[in-house]
Amino acid sequence: MKKILFVASESVPFIKTGGLADVVGSLPKCFDKEKYDVRVILPKYMCMTQEVKDKMEYVTHFYMDLCWRKQYVGILKTDYEGVTYYFIDNEYYFGGPKPYGDICYDIEKFAFFSRAALSALPLIGFQPDIIHCHDWQTGLVPVYLKDSFHGGDFYQNMKSIMTIHNLKFQGLWDVKTVMDIAGLSSYYFTSDKLKYYDDANLLKGGIVYADYVTTVSDTYAQEIKTPFYGEGLDGLMRARSNCLWGIVNGIDYDTYDPKTDTMIAKNYDAMNFRREKSKNKKALQEQLGLAVDEKKMMIGIVSRLTDQKGFDLISYVMDELCQDEIQLVVLGTGDEKYENMFRHFDWKYADKVSANIYYSEELSHKIYASCDAFLMPSLFEPCGLSQLMSLRYGTVPIVRETGGLKDTVEPYNEYENTGTGFSFANYNAHEMLHTIRYAEQVYYDRKREWNKIVDRGMAADFSWSVSAKKYEDLYNRLLGY
Ligand code: ADP
Ligand code: GLC
């Protein structure tokens, strides 16, 4: 039995700010239980719901040195769908209203978390063969494994994998402070290790010191070796390319299933979507105060509202797009400029545009189920899960060909009768608009063709079955099997 520990800063159903939580909450249960004992360790945030906290049981606690402080480390655990999830408790670090806040506090928070996660292992009696780290918050884990936790039998043979979900977020702060907080010597702060220009970079530490590095799609694994997508680390990504793999994400096919989803107005499946799916659209039009018309093409967006997601393109052609026979339903929060942009168009085109500037799991499911198309024109996209959810719900993705969007959405080819969505190559607003209009044309004038695109999308398999197997192969390879 191989033992794997996931270390991450978020996971459904406990806490979620983005796709990372979906992955950490759905991948561990997909490994072969005969061969892999996969467990997960997360922070216990005060902002988790009471329901979540009530399910945790106390395991033990200890005190740990972190720079000049001696800190309390509580350990709790819970079982979720057959997987053990541990939680590190410390109210000083995890007491805020959200998982992440000001980066200067976050650096110390996650340095604490990384050290506490490793220190807790002998106490909980779990000695992993591989520690699988996710994103910058856990970047110090591979570094610690080679440093203070090296030597002594317990940690000696532990390997580590660093998975990059988004290279944009690296965890940067000045060298002196990070040196103090992390308790690492100046040896580590040279430009071949944690130093990045004048700062210390936690993700870089993880990438340099992990045995293997992965990211969440093949195309993104290639892209980050180039200056445009490399976020200043493309040289390092090229240097580590022998140990770098892209494994595309899946989604939880139980949670995201139009046949059984309890959050949507009308359940349907691949057999009856032609008749049943639009009942969801009608219900959503009524709920959101849009013109009620089952025939009108409805385009959805569910997203963090940040530069990454391509909203500059949408903003640029929004007036033009709103002249068309479409409705646009947006759900998201993020940068104020994009929140206000959508609020403005909601006011200007009241019966066509609905801007919902908040977070709602339920409305997100309704949008995936109700819309005809889903728009995701990202500037970059390590994988993207929303387009996979859309495919599962028979909602046709319209995407820019980057990262995971390129790997998961096959562009419609009207001559070959192939494809699951629509896509465009360049980060150009009119190229996007042109592609949306092509989709409109197929939707209104060639409905049979449209429905076949939906058929193919719903038949595509983006459950974890294939990708979990790829992680298993990687674990085996790292352990020399
Ligand atoms: P990212 O991780 O970059 O934000 P992904 O497409 O990988 O993008 O994952 C986004 C996840 O967050 C999806 O599960 C999506 O449904 C969800 N999501 C984003 N914004 C909201 C929101 N405002 N309300 C509910 N769910 C949201
Ligand atoms: C990040 C990326 C997104 C990816 C998610 C899960 O948030 O932005 O593309 O799907 O992580 O890996």
Side-chain angles (χ1 to χ4, degrees):
M1 180 74 83
K2 296 170 194 96
K3 285 175 275 177
I4 316 289
L5 179 75
F6 274 46
V7 189
S9 57
E10 52 180 280
S11 168
V12 292
F14 311 106
I15 188 89
K16 168 168 167 180
T17 73
L20 170 63
D22 290 306
V23 172
V24 180
S26 59
L27 171 58
K29 68 176 174 193
C30 299
F31 291 105
D32 181 348
K33 292 213 166 39
E34 306 273 285
K35 297 192 182 131
Y36 301 88
D37 179 358
V38 183
R39 305 188 193 182
V40 183
I41 193 159
L42 305 164
K44 176 182 179 256
Y45 300 105
M46 290 247 277
C47 60
M48 285 168 165
T49 63
Q50 197 54 45
E51 192 193 342
V52 160
K53 287 190 248 180
D54 286 345
K55 292 206 178 102
M56 298 176 188
E57 72 186 77
Y58 171 84
V59 179
T60 184
H61 75 273
F62 59 98
Y63 287 85
M64 182 185 81
D65 290 327
L66 185 73
C67 50
W68 46 269
R69 291 192 181 91
K70 212 172 185 56
Q71 288 289 6
Y72 171 86
V73 182
I75 308 170
L76 297 94
K77 72 169 185 178
T78 191
D79 199 67
Y80 171 64
E81 299 187 332
V83 176
T84 303
Y85 283 76
Y86 296 102
F87 299 88
I88 298 289
D89 183 23
N90 177 299
E91 294 192 355
Y92 170 77
Y93 287 118
F94 305 128
K98 289 185 297 183
Y100 316 122
D102 211 324
I103 185 70
C104 67
Y105 297 113
D106 285 355
I107 294 275
E108 185 172 334
K109 183 192 296 183
F110 291 108
F112 165 80
F113 172 62
S114 299
R115 191 176 264 280
L118 286 176
S119 308
L121 295 174
L123 280 103
I124 55 181
F126 187 62
Q127 188 177 23
D129 299 299
I130 297 175
I131 305 202
H132 190 159
C133 307
H134 297 267
D135 273 356
W136 78 263
Q137 292 86 348
T138 58
L140 284 177
V141 171
V143 185
Y144 284 146
L145 271 181
K146 295 278 188 319
D147 182 66
S148 23
F149 289 83
H150 203 62
D153 286 348
F154 193 82
Y155 298 95
Q156 194 66 35
N157 297 317
M158 276 181 207
K159 307 274 189 214
S160 62
I161 296 180
M162 186 80 230
T163 292
I164 302 165
H165 295 263
N166 195 334
L167 195 58
K168 176 107 185 161
F169 304 110
Q170 301 178 357
L172 297 185
W173 203 245
D174 75 86
V175 171
K176 191 170 164 302
T177 314
V178 174
M179 216 149 87
D180 265 12
I181 288 173
L184 291 166
S185 72
S186 58
Y187 167 81
Y188 290 97
F189 296 88
T190 55
S191 52
D192 57 336
K193 303 189 188 78
L194 272 74
K195 191 156 179 245
Y196 175 83
Y197 300 96
D198 286 334
D199 284 325
N201 182 324
L202 268 49
L203 180 65
K204 187 176 175 195
I207 297 171
V208 169
Y209 281 98
D211 295 291
Y212 286 170
V213 180
T214 76
T215 186
V216 288
S217 70
D218 219 14
T219 294
Y220 195 60
Q222 302 310 321
E223 286 174 340
I224 55 180
K225 290 184 232 165
T226 67
F228 184 82
Y229 293 100
E231 307 288 347
L233 291 179
D234 47 297
L236 174 61
M237 299 321 308
R238 288 195 296 277
R240 292 236 56 190
S241 58
N242 284 339
C243 299
L244 170 67
W245 285 271
I247 300 179
V248 75
N249 287 332
I251 55 168
D252 191 324
Y253 265 33
D254 298 328
T255 310
Y256 295 96
D257 182 355
K259 198 170 176 176
T260 54
D261 193 330
T262 53
M263 297 190 214
I264 66 177
K266 182 77 196 167
N267 290 116
Y268 59 93
D269 59 21
M271 302 302 290
N272 65 12
F273 77 86
R274 286 174 175 77
R275 222 177 38 246
E276 302 297 319
K277 183 170 159 58
S278 66
K279 294 181 182 160
N280 287 289
K281 189 196 311 190
K282 194 159 166 248
L284 192 64
Q285 287 167 332
E286 277 162 10
Q287 180 186 333
L288 299 178
L290 294 166
V292 178
D293 177 356
E294 279 183 59
K295 297 218 156 20
K296 180 102 19 132
M297 180 175 177
M298 184 188 270
I299 303 176
I301 292 175
V302 177
S303 184
R304 290 183 293 116
L305 302 179
T306 65
D307 292 336
Q308 173 188 339
K309 302 292 178 176
F311 293 113
D312 287 332
L313 302 187
I314 297 178
S315 157
Y316 195 71
V317 293
M318 196 62 181
D319 273 312
E320 280 177 77
L321 180 62
C322 288
Q323 308 312 311
D324 296 2
E325 281 298 305
I326 55 121
Q327 290 179 336
L328 188 70
V329 177
V330 181
L331 172 65
T333 59
D335 295 357
E336 223 169 291
K337 63 175 173 181
Y338 299 127
E339 293 187 345
N340 289 335
M341 183 268 287
F342 283 122
R343 284 191 185 107
H344 168 76
F345 287 108
D346 178 318
W347 164 80
K348 192 166 174 184
Y349 302 100
D351 62 343
K352 282 194 155 173
V353 178
S354 168
N356 304 275
I357 310 301
Y358 49 84
Y359 188 92
S360 162
E361 206 66 43
E362 181 164 332
L363 184 57
S364 76
H365 283 237
K366 290 197 158 102
I367 293 175
Y368 294 126
S370 305
C371 290
D372 299 294
F374 189 88
L375 182 58
M376 208 164 163
S378 305
L379 174 60
F380 68 94
E381 196 60 72
C383 178
L385 300 175
S386 294
Q387 83 282 8
L388 304 182
M389 293 161 187
S390 301
L391 287 168
R392 176 86 168 136
Y393 282 80
T395 299
V396 177
I398 303 174
V399 303
R400 190 172 93 81
E401 290 155 17
T402 183
L405 298 174
K406 186 170 176 188
D407 295 353
T408 57
V409 178
E410 190 195 342
Y412 172 54
N413 181 325
E414 62 185 40
Y415 306 104
E416 305 271 340
N417 294 315
T418 55
T420 55
F422 293 82
S423 65
F424 59 100
N426 296 300
Y427 196 71
N428 174 297
H430 278 97
E431 201 169 313
M432 176 190 73
L433 184 63
H434 177 77
T435 307
I436 298 173
R437 288 188 166 156
Y438 177 36
E440 288 172 30
Q441 214 183 70
V442 179
Y443 177 82
Y444 283 114
D445 303 339
R446 280 175 277 161
K447 201 47 177 280
R448 286 169 67 95
E449 288 304 306
W450 180 271
N451 283 336
K452 284 187 198 154
I453 300 174
V454 176
D455 276 332
R456 290 190 289 267
M458 289 184 89
D461 182 3
F462 288 105
S463 68
W464 274 110
S465 51
V466 177
S467 293
K469 182 82 186 47
K470 288 192 179 159
Y471 279 112
E472 288 179 358
D473 291 344
L474 202 65
Y475 295 158
N476 293 349
R477 182 179 171 139
L478 179 54
L479 296 174
Y481 292 98

